[in-house]
Amino acid sequence: MSYVIDRRLNGKNKSTVNRQRFLKRYQQHIKEAVSDAVNRRSITDMERGEQISIPTRNTHEPVISHGKGGKQHRVYPGNKQFGTGDELEKPKQGGGGAGSGNASNSGEGEEDFTFFITKEEFLNYLFDDLALPNMVKKTLAKTKEFKTRRAGFVSEGTPNNLSVVRSMRNAHARRIGMGSGKRRKLKELQQLLLDTEAQTPADEVMLNSLKEQIADVERRLKLIPFIDDIDLRYRNKVKVPTPSSKAVMFCIMDVSGSMTQDVKDIAKRFYILLYLFLQKTYEHIEIVFIRHHTSAKEVTEEEFFYSRETGGTIVSSALNLMSQIIEDRYNSEEWNIYAAQASDGDNWDDDSPVCSRILAEKLLPAVQYFAYIEITPNQHQALWTAYQNLSRAFANQFALAQIRGPEDIFPVFRELFAKDRVKEAI
């Protein structure tokens, strides 16, 4: 059997192009496997890749092989039980063999083709078709990061930046310029020498004088250096600042007594998924973690996911804190502001209208997008009812969704941050 592998335009990594071509061909199978992996394993394990299995029938490749010709005779040594024309019984089901394929009642089956995708490839498929909505680059922030770029040639530099081609070109031009007059004079003297020699009788004094002049011109031509210091040119590289858009993401989570450990775990998974998405999508983004029960406070990432607190629920405390942080640190004219709030929907009855008012008057006019997820298998709570009016009044900046169980995390995440929700900010 022969295999034809196309490795044209490959660099040092000769199998990279073939691997990318393979992943593109089976993109749909890989997407399905990645989606299953999200529900099957903890989202905190997103730092590693994934084992992907594809049925063998979907990996058939066209091959070039020699056709069978003429008569063939095969000898199978070691057969003491069967003779020509004997029929073999079909293997019984439930044998001791084990395999990764799919067996059938007809005795036939298919093995699965298994391969491993890296963490980067896993995240690419995991976050495919996702984007933060209303991403508007209001200003380009000053950054301390620089990128090296080519900026022509200079006459001084280090040997490793020497441009041989440009230096030789300069040397050739210099030799032509310095020797053109001497070569012209040399041709004139050589022609005069020929004319003098053709005369009869020849003037010996004139001949000797011409030969001395010719020798002097040739000597001066040889003194022109092949390459000189003034010919050397070095590649010039300068550092230029790399502009980036300013963005901040607020993560707000309810940790009150009504939030059971299972509900908190779902909220943690959602934010871990969101955090990984932000890390992959944006190189420069700040994340603010806010936890709340009857009071709210800004915490670190470690405290946000793993510390334990309890108490009643006053959601407005978190929204007020977010508003204060924006006022103190994030000017809405310079920053792209996003927020995601997770809660079971339980709140003091008098506080839900306050939350709606804070969002409508303070937060939504300043943010590009605010997503609210309610984690409960039951009916919607008072907070959802208060937020529904906002979703209609601020359709481009506010969205809400319900998560009933762990299996809903990824579909809801894709719904809230799908590319088709991307619109220009008003």
Side-chain angles (χ1 to χ4, degrees):
M1 182 177 295
S2 301
Y3 294 92
V4 178
I5 301 177
D6 183 5
R7 287 181 174 169
R8 291 173 295 180
L9 301 180
N10 285 346
K12 295 181 180 179
N13 301 321
K14 294 184 177 181
S15 62
T16 301
V17 175
N18 290 325
R19 178 175 178 82
Q20 294 303 322
R21 191 176 295 137
F22 175 83
L23 294 179
K24 183 177 181 180
R25 179 175 180 179
Y26 302 105
Q27 185 175 10
Q28 188 59 38
H29 293 280
I30 299 174
K31 282 185 177 180
E32 294 174 359
V34 169
S35 298
D36 293 340
V38 173
N39 295 326
R40 186 177 65 252
R41 76 188 201 195
S42 173
I43 296 180
T44 57
D45 294 337
M46 295 297 175
E47 291 299 319
R48 59 181 174 87
E50 179 65 22
Q51 199 84 5
I52 304 295
S53 295
I54 297 177
T56 306
R57 65 176 181 274
N58 295 321
T59 60
H60 290 166
E61 296 276 358
V63 296
I64 300 175
S65 60
H66 297 286
K68 296 180 180 179
K71 295 183 179 180
Q72 295 183 350
H73 298 278
R74 298 184 181 181
V75 177
Y76 298 96
N79 179 20
K80 298 181 180 180
Q81 184 176 359
F82 300 103
T84 303
D86 289 349
E87 295 183 358
L88 306 181
E89 293 184 1
K90 181 175 64 178
K92 297 181 180 180
Q93 298 183 14
S100 60
N102 297 322
S104 65
N105 55 8
S106 62
E108 298 178 356
E110 288 188 347
E111 292 289 333
D112 289 342
F113 174 70
T114 303
F115 62 98
F116 185 82
I117 60 174
T118 64
K119 169 195 169 184
E120 290 75 15
E121 293 169 339
F122 181 84
L123 293 179
N124 283 335
Y125 287 105
L126 178 65
F127 297 127
D128 188 30
D129 297 330
L130 300 185
L132 282 180
N134 298 331
M135 183 63 182
V136 179
K137 296 182 179 180
K138 294 182 176 179
T139 59
L140 293 179
K142 293 182 179 180
T143 177
K144 295 182 180 179
E145 294 188 2
F146 294 86
K147 184 178 181 180
T148 302
R149 292 183 180 177
R150 293 280 299 274
F153 299 89
V154 293
S155 57
E156 295 181 355
T158 57
N160 60 306
N161 288 327
L162 177 65
S163 175
V164 177
V165 175
R166 182 58 65 95
S167 299
M168 296 302 296
R169 187 182 301 169
N170 291 344
H172 182 62
R174 177 185 53 78
R175 292 197 304 271
I176 292 175
M178 294 180 65
S180 59
K182 297 180 179 63
R183 291 188 183 90
R184 185 166 52 251
K185 186 177 181 179
L186 179 62
K187 288 183 179 179
E188 294 174 356
L189 292 173
Q190 289 175 341
Q191 183 62 42
L192 185 57
L193 178 62
L194 292 176
D195 295 340
T196 304
E197 290 176 342
Q199 295 177 3
T200 53
D203 188 349
E204 294 296 330
V205 176
M206 186 66 170
L207 289 175
N208 293 333
S209 177
L210 289 174
K211 290 180 180 179
E212 289 177 358
Q213 294 180 47
I214 290 173
D216 181 68
V217 173
E218 290 178 342
R219 180 183 60 81
R220 284 188 291 168
L221 281 174
K222 292 180 180 180
L223 291 177
I224 299 176
F226 181 78
I227 190 168
D228 196 86
D229 290 339
I230 62 174
D231 303 326
L232 300 180
R233 292 295 181 268
Y234 300 86
R235 287 181 290 270
N236 187 28
K237 296 181 180 180
V238 296
K239 291 184 178 180
V240 295
T242 304
S244 62
S245 58
K246 287 183 177 181
V248 58
M249 183 75 195
F250 284 86
C251 298
I252 305 171
M253 184 166 65
D254 182 4
V255 293
S256 63
S258 62
M259 293 278 287
T260 63
Q261 189 59 44
D262 292 340
V263 175
K264 290 180 181 179
D265 182 64
I266 292 176
K268 291 176 184 178
R269 290 177 177 227
F270 180 86
Y271 281 118
I272 291 173
L273 189 61
L274 176 59
Y275 182 65
L276 286 174
F277 172 57
L278 295 175
Q279 279 188 322
K280 174 185 178 294
T281 308
Y282 303 102
E283 294 182 1
H284 307 284
I285 187 168
E286 293 188 14
I287 302 180
V288 178
F289 298 98
I290 298 177
R291 294 165 59 96
H292 73 89
H293 38 81
T294 53
S295 61
K297 65 178 180 178
E298 182 180 356
V299 296
T300 63
E301 178 186 348
E302 184 74 17
E303 292 176 305
F304 185 81
F305 288 127
Y306 302 110
S307 65
R308 295 184 178 181
E309 297 181 23
T310 186
T313 308
I314 300 181
V315 179
S316 61
S317 61
L319 301 181
N320 281 322
L321 178 58
M322 175 181 169
S323 178
Q324 185 62 43
I325 293 175
I326 292 176
E327 183 179 349
D328 295 341
R329 288 150 46 187
Y330 303 105
N331 187 343
S332 60
E333 296 298 325
E334 300 178 358
W335 289 83
N336 300 286
I337 305 173
Y338 305 91
Q341 178 186 359
S343 173
D344 62 351
D346 189 20
N347 191 23
W348 294 106
D349 292 337
D350 296 338
D351 189 58
S352 295
V354 177
C355 296
S356 180
R357 186 168 60 253
I358 295 174
L359 279 170
E361 297 177 358
K362 295 182 179 181
L363 296 181
L364 292 182
V367 304
Q368 269 62 53
Y369 193 64
F370 191 106
Y372 169 71
I373 58 169
E374 186 171 285
I375 308 172
T376 176
N378 305 317
Q379 298 297 324
H380 297 302
Q381 303 297 317
L383 193 59
W384 178 281
T385 304
Y387 280 175
Q388 274 186 321
N389 296 329
L390 293 175
S391 65
R392 290 188 288 267
F394 298 89
N396 291 333
Q397 295 152 284
F398 185 83
L400 67 167
Q402 182 180 10
I403 295 180
R404 299 182 181 274
E407 66 280 357
D408 294 333
I409 296 175
F410 191 56
V412 167
F413 183 82
R414 294 184 65 92
E415 177 186 349
L416 292 177
F417 297 98
K419 281 184 178 179
D420 56 10
R421 297 188 63 95
V422 178
K423 301 175 183 178
E424 291 297 329
I426 299 177

